[in-house]
Amino acid sequence: MTGVLLRAAHVTRRFGAFTAVDDVSMGVQPGEVAGLLGANGAGKTTLIRMLLGLIAVTSGRVELLGGPPDRERRRRLGYVPQGLGLYGDLTVRENLSFSARAYGTAEPALPPALAGHADVLVRELPLGAQRQVAFLAALAHAPDVLVLDEPTSGVDALARAALWDTIRAQAERGAGVLVTTHYMQEAQQCDRLLLMSDGRLVAEGSEADIIGSTTAVAVRTGDWAQAFAALNTAGVPVMLAGRAIRVANADPAELAGVLRAAGIEASLQPVPATIEERMLMLSRQARAS
């Protein structure tokens, strides 16, 4: 396979007065895992549904495998939506048989982890097992394009690792993979990142490219709750992970002044920024523009 497998060119989608996707251009190449990142409501799912021809674009153009996302091209697609696309009142075997007949392929063999659940209704399976079934159904026909919308949401760390092994294996055989996630640590699993905020594509590239020279300031204090409140009130891009306070792209002297004015003692140390902190900065910039 050569060329761009999945493409959006200046795509916009409006629902009445609300713009869900705003002038987005992007593409997915063969053999790569492109990560579509963004907070809930950023426009990721709406963009995917346009790319797959499930909803119409308001303006712009989408292409799947070099042309419009018609029924014939979608036969070369593997898609796992947020809702998994399974029938809860059918068994695992019945779901996989239905999917295989739809694509004209042989029913996939069940892996050991699912072998004992072949005749169990899908709705009675734990979420991790349901996701394994959805992956099996999506991959049985060896698709050229794999689109996964929040594929690891709600599953434990071991299950997420196993699903990512599957995703990498698809890219290694030449498929183009587009995967959405709100787990920022999963960005490291992707070859290229596409960051969305409020319907816009605000950055694109590797994790290192997007973070660039951005730094953050780690704030250490025994009064972390009041420190967070004071910095947040001051309008700086403050983040809290447990009791750890971090502020992206900030001047330590200015932060120290805010904290002193609030009567808070703290130590401040410059540290490398994370992809999540860079994303927060880009989101704030996009909203201000």
Side-chain angles (χ1 to χ4, degrees):
M1 292 176 288
T2 59
V4 179
L5 302 179
L6 200 60
R7 184 197 305 272
H10 299 287
V11 167
T12 294
R13 173 67 197 202
R14 299 187 184 92
F15 297 94
F18 174 66
T19 301
V21 174
D22 187 3
D23 192 28
V24 169
S25 296
M26 50 75 67
V28 178
Q29 303 279 346
E32 78 163 339
V33 178
L36 185 59
L37 307 184
N40 291 335
K44 304 187 300 295
T45 297
T46 301
L47 176 60
I48 281 178
R49 289 175 63 81
M50 288 189 291
L51 285 167
L52 303 186
L54 301 178
I55 59 174
V57 303
T58 301
S59 62
R61 187 181 78 259
V62 296
E63 292 181 1
L64 171 64
L65 295 163
D70 55 21
R71 179 175 297 181
E72 189 59 33
R73 289 185 176 88
R74 285 201 295 261
R75 291 179 65 86
R76 298 164 60 192
L77 164 76
Y79 176 40
V80 180
Q82 286 189 32
L84 300 182
L86 301 173
Y87 296 94
D89 56 352
L90 297 182
T91 67
V92 170
R93 192 192 311 276
E94 288 168 341
N95 268 279
L96 294 176
S97 177
F98 176 83
S99 177
R101 289 199 303 270
Y103 284 104
T105 62
E107 183 179 327
L110 287 174
L114 290 174
H117 301 294
D119 297 314
V120 176
L121 295 179
V122 162
R123 66 169 178 248
E124 296 176 358
L125 293 175
L127 180 58
Q130 290 185 31
R131 291 199 180 280
Q132 290 182 58
V133 176
F135 265 61
L136 279 174
L139 299 177
H141 59 296
D144 296 328
V145 179
L146 183 61
V147 177
L148 309 169
D149 197 359
E150 303 283 359
T152 61
S153 178
V155 299
D156 61 36
L158 286 176
R160 285 204 305 271
L163 291 175
W164 271 101
D165 282 345
T166 302
I167 292 169
R168 291 301 330 177
Q170 297 307 304
E172 288 169 5
R173 69 168 179 81
V177 183
L178 178 65
V179 55
T180 77
T181 180
H182 59 267
Y183 292 113
M184 294 300 112
Q185 66 269 29
E186 291 187 352
Q188 297 175 352
Q189 303 278 357
C190 300
D191 301 310
R192 186 164 52 88
L193 301 176
L194 305 159
L195 269 58
M196 288 190 70
S197 176
D198 294 327
R200 301 180 188 176
L201 189 65
V202 295
E204 179 178 359
S206 69
E207 182 179 14
D209 291 337
I210 292 171
I211 293 174
S213 59
T214 304
T215 59
V217 176
V219 180
R220 296 178 173 84
T221 175
D223 199 355
W224 62 269
Q226 288 201 26
F228 180 87
L231 293 170
N232 191 50
T233 300
V236 298
V238 61
M239 298 188 70
L240 188 65
R243 298 182 180 181
I245 297 174
R246 293 169 61 101
V247 185
N249 198 37
D251 181 350
E254 291 182 7
L255 298 183
V258 171
L259 294 171
R260 277 197 305 270
I264 299 169
E265 293 186 2
S267 65
L268 292 85
Q269 179 182 4
V271 294
T274 65
I275 188 67
E276 191 170 11
E277 288 164 343
R278 179 58 176 160
M279 188 167 179
L280 175 62
M281 288 177 53
L282 291 167
S283 297
R284 290 166 65 98
Q285 293 169 6
R287 288 169 186 167
S289 63

